[in-house]
Amino acid sequence: MQQTTGQALEVRLSAYIDGELGDAERAELDALLARDDDAKVMLEKLKAGSAFGNKAFEDFLHDPVPLALVRQIKQGPGINPRSERVATANLPARTVRVWPRALAAAMALLLVGGAAGFLAGSAHYVAEPESAASARPWIDEIADYHRIYSRQKDHLVEAPASDGPKIETWLASSVGVGFKTPDLASKGLTFEGARLLVVDGKPVGQLVYRDREGDIYAICFLKGGDKPQADQFREDIRDNLGLVSWQKDDASLVLVGPSADAALRELAEAVAASI
């Protein structure tokens, strides 16, 4: 049990809420709360702040972690991104899947603590507008597609790589975006073929690749889309998937691959230069 006599009232009431006080000190604070309205108000604010902090912690665990931060922490100084990717690929699948959530939890513990709960409790919580909350970027839907199709054994693609130039003609006419299928053999990726997807009523072209470890990568593109600024790469993470998106002329593109691949941004830059 804590002994908080003589400390600030906020500290004493925080220990009171957490049940960390001895019987004598708890009885003393009970008496204070019974006669002091200001102390009651402070207690309610601390309780509200604690509830807000717990909710924020849960939200952090489910929010995506920026891929750039994952790379910076995992890669560290002096580590080659491509060799790191091979090393990570040898880890058990569960370890790779847990990593983003463990990182999110560490960030949440750093941000949600100390006096943050008390300050948040005294502020008004403003909910996100329903229209903004319900809007999903197209890359979220691409991530959902990738999780399903990347598990297919016999039907990974609609059109196999052996169809060659027919794929470019088919997807370009369907999507309305001209492109060249990137040769990524130098990056350790083999072209498997293509699919046609639909996102928010728009056709999306998907070029599918496989690396030496059997992981599936995909380049997806559509006309229009979320309109990020030209020549700027945006990095996102969705559980065990990393996504790097960019804009080229009137097309939006995204590269999807394992979040464990620290060189995903480098790969996206190579794709952008050749597609």
Side-chain angles (χ1 to χ4, degrees):
M1 293 296 177
Q2 288 190 31
Q3 175 58 251
T4 64
T5 302
Q7 297 188 40
L9 184 57
E10 292 94 330
V11 175
R12 302 188 70 193
L13 290 177
S14 292
Y16 177 92
I17 293 171
D18 294 337
E20 298 175 347
L21 300 179
D23 292 340
E25 191 170 358
R26 186 171 188 84
E28 177 187 343
L29 287 175
D30 282 337
L32 174 65
L33 291 167
R35 68 175 186 270
D36 191 328
D37 291 338
D38 290 339
K40 289 181 184 178
V41 171
M42 182 175 293
L43 178 67
E44 293 306 313
K45 286 184 177 182
L46 287 168
K47 286 181 178 179
S50 178
F52 182 89
N54 290 335
K55 183 181 184 303
F57 181 81
E58 286 297 319
D59 291 344
F60 267 114
L61 291 182
H62 294 89
D63 280 348
V65 182
L67 187 58
L69 180 58
V70 175
R71 176 182 298 114
Q72 184 176 359
I73 293 175
K74 291 178 62 182
Q75 185 176 327
I79 300 177
N80 181 275
R82 189 56 62 177
S83 62
E84 190 275 342
R85 174 185 156 214
V86 173
T88 307
N90 294 326
L91 291 174
R94 184 178 180 278
T95 302
V96 175
R97 287 196 299 270
V98 167
W99 170 261
R101 298 230 181 259
L103 179 59
M107 292 173 63
L109 286 171
L110 178 64
L111 295 174
V112 182
F118 173 70
L119 294 175
S122 62
H124 293 290
Y125 177 71
V126 179
E128 183 182 9
E130 184 178 351
S131 59
S134 61
R136 297 184 75 216
W138 76 289
I139 64 169
D140 287 348
E141 297 195 47
I142 291 299
D144 291 341
Y145 273 118
H146 193 82
R147 288 191 186 93
I148 294 172
Y149 287 130
S150 63
R151 298 171 185 158
Q152 298 298 311
K153 301 295 184 183
D154 300 325
H155 303 284
L156 179 63
V157 296
E158 286 183 83
S162 57
D163 283 356
K166 294 181 181 178
I167 290 177
E168 295 180 3
T169 303
W170 166 50
L171 288 184
S173 61
S174 299
V175 179
V177 174
F179 71 97
K180 289 181 59 179
T181 303
D183 182 357
L184 301 176
S186 63
K187 301 292 184 181
L189 298 178
T190 301
F191 182 52
E192 295 287 335
R195 277 188 176 277
L196 182 64
L197 311 175
V198 178
V199 171
D200 196 23
K202 295 182 179 180
V204 176
Q206 184 186 57
L207 307 176
V208 182
Y209 296 77
R210 189 191 305 271
D211 73 359
R212 298 183 184 97
E213 289 78 40
D215 289 324
I216 301 300
Y217 292 70
I219 304 165
C220 302
F221 52 91
L222 82 165
K223 195 167 186 177
D226 293 336
K227 296 293 185 184
Q229 293 186 18
D231 302 323
Q232 290 191 359
F233 292 87
R234 172 181 170 180
E235 303 180 48
D236 296 276
I237 194 167
R238 300 291 185 272
D239 294 321
N240 62 334
L241 295 179
L243 303 100
V244 184
S245 56
W246 68 98
Q247 185 80 12
K248 182 177 181 181
D249 299 326
D250 62 344
S252 294
L253 302 95
V254 61
L255 171 70
V256 190
S259 62
D261 188 347
L264 203 60
R265 166 68 178 266
E266 172 191 326
L267 181 59
E269 291 173 350
V271 170
S274 60
I275 195 169

